[in-house]
Amino acid sequence: MSRKTRQVVERCGLWRALPDITGPVDRIVGGARVRHGTIPWQASIRLRGAGNKTYHNCGAAVISPFHVLTAAHCVFKYRDQFEIYYVRVGDNVMELEDDEEQELSIERIDFHEDFDVGAHLNNDIAVVHIDARQHPGGIVFGDKVLPVCLPQVDADYSPATNVTVSGWGTFGAESSGSKSGSNFVSELHTVSLPVIEPAVCRRPEVYGREKVSTGMFCAGLLEVRIVTINAIFYFLDAGRAGHVSGG
């Protein structure tokens, strides 16, 4: 008898058609802007800073009115004072207050019990719980905010299968770490990337055998240069949704 994943929310995964991303490789790598509400489960894990202002820390995905899924390493540093983390949903352009944008406090964070056991950042997944005392109804769903579906147990992660990555942050070759350079993205972007054969991902010139566990897969584009292979990868846990929210 085949096993099926029980969805947290019945009406999940309802999204608009993604933009057709074509053109040079650098445009594919950088992704494309999306219309507000195209990826309604996109969330931002934020840190509270000076002046009571919050700052984007990592991407996440809404899975229910009271839960978002994110990478464990994104919320591990301040796990003992998690009240400085916040969840924002309905955001598209970070500097603007978008329609249906909401910012919510966190009650607790559940980490995978074997997070970072074995390979570096193995089982890199966490469930963030919205504080029901401060937000009795949790995340308010609407036209721009909806939950993503959880993946089926038998989901296909075979090579050449495309996954969708979305988020804010940086892309490209700049490495200064600054959030003001030409490669900083403050408007939500998305890109579709092919899953890469595990044996390729484990090559020494890519990631190496010790960094890729059996519970991971990688996706992206490999550019063959004169001496080295430059990889642009988004590391994904096999337990995560087929749509993966990036940073």
Side-chain angles (χ1 to χ4, degrees):
M1 189 174 80
S2 63
R3 294 183 297 164
K4 290 291 184 181
T5 298
R6 180 174 169 270
Q7 299 300 335
V8 182
V9 177
E10 185 177 346
R11 287 175 57 80
C12 60
L14 304 176
W15 66 351
R16 297 176 177 83
L18 289 172
D20 184 22
I21 304 174
T22 59
V25 170
D26 59 349
R27 184 181 172 195
I28 298 173
V29 171
R33 296 182 181 89
V34 295
R35 192 172 74 250
H36 183 35
T38 299
I39 305 176
W41 42 79
Q42 178 71 55
S44 167
I45 302 295
R46 305 178 68 82
L47 284 168
R48 181 74 67 183
N52 211 33
K53 185 177 179 181
T54 63
Y55 301 87
H56 175 68
N57 182 51
C58 273
V62 177
I63 58 173
S64 91
F66 291 97
H67 305 91
V68 300
L69 202 61
T70 192
H73 76 267
C74 290
V75 286
F76 194 75
K77 184 175 181 179
Y78 300 111
R79 61 193 179 280
D80 295 327
Q81 49 184 130
F82 62 83
E83 63 276 3
I84 71 171
Y85 291 112
Y86 286 78
V87 172
R88 181 184 287 181
V89 299
D91 201 1
N92 188 51
V93 181
M94 286 190 170
E95 295 86 352
L96 304 176
E97 185 172 344
D98 294 293
D99 186 28
E100 297 188 24
E101 184 177 306
Q102 306 160 54
E103 200 157 285
L104 306 104
S105 302
I106 292 173
E107 179 184 359
R108 76 173 194 269
I109 303 170
D110 290 335
F111 295 90
H112 191 289
E113 59 270 24
D114 290 326
F115 167 56
D116 212 19
V117 175
H120 179 55
L121 296 183
N122 198 23
N123 301 307
D124 189 15
I125 194 167
V127 177
V128 175
H129 297 249
I130 302 300
D131 191 338
R133 295 165 299 178
Q134 296 192 48
H135 313 284
I139 298 168
V140 178
F141 295 158
D143 185 54
K144 307 292 192 298
V145 180
L146 288 168
V148 71
C149 295
L150 296 174
Q152 294 299 326
V153 175
D154 58 354
D156 181 15
Y157 299 105
S158 58
T161 300
N162 283 335
V163 294
T164 300
V165 180
S166 64
W168 304 270
T170 58
F171 64 86
E174 292 182 27
S175 57
S176 63
S178 170
K179 289 194 174 183
S180 60
S182 61
N183 67 340
F184 176 64
V185 177
S186 62
E187 185 174 352
L188 186 61
H189 275 55
T190 187
V191 65
S192 183
L193 298 169
V195 173
I196 295 175
E197 177 68 47
V200 174
C201 211
R202 293 188 176 100
R203 288 176 183 169
E205 68 271 24
V206 184
Y207 267 107
R209 184 171 298 277
E210 72 283 354
K211 292 184 179 179
V212 185
S213 75
T214 55
M216 299 178 183
F217 68 89
C218 57
L221 302 169
L222 288 174
E223 268 188 278
V224 181
R225 297 284 175 85
I226 296 174
V227 180
T228 62
I229 295 178
N230 294 307
I232 298 172
F233 280 138
Y234 296 79
F235 244 142
L236 317 174
D237 266 285
R240 263 191 243 176
H243 169 95
V244 181
S245 294

